[in-house]
Amino acid sequence: EVWSPSSDGKDRDGSWYAECGIPAYWLARPVNGQPWGALITMYELAETPSGLRTYVETGTRTLADLEEHGLA
């Protein structure tokens, strides 16, 4: 998912992905002053004790870091 100011609430709400059973998603946000840079937040689907499926943040990396490690 690519973050944008006009859809901030939707972009940060992973409930649609969780309902579809998508096991993981990444949220990419631009880095100020770096036209091709981005900060990537990674989420994985987890189940709460009450059975609710929700996402848990598993890490944050820059796009450059992911590219350096062959993950982007």
Side-chain angles (χ1 to χ4, degrees), residues 1 15 18 22 25 31 38-39 43 57 66:
E1 181 73 50
S15 62
I22 296 170
Y25 82 100
V31 175
L39 184 63
Y43 299 91
E57 185 177 323
L66 292 173

Side-chain angles (χ1 to χ4, degrees), residues 19-42:
E19 289 172 14
C20 293
I22 296 170
Y25 82 100
W26 293 5
L27 177 62
R29 290 174 287 160
V31 175
N32 289 335
Q34 297 183 22
W36 299 107
L39 184 63
I40 312 296
T41 306
M42 296 161 276

Side-chain angles (χ1 to χ4, degrees), residues 3-19:
W3 176 88
S4 70
S6 64
S7 61
D8 180 60
K10 177 194 158 292
D11 294 341
R12 294 177 187 267
D13 177 13
S15 62
W16 181 84
Y17 300 106
E19 289 172 14

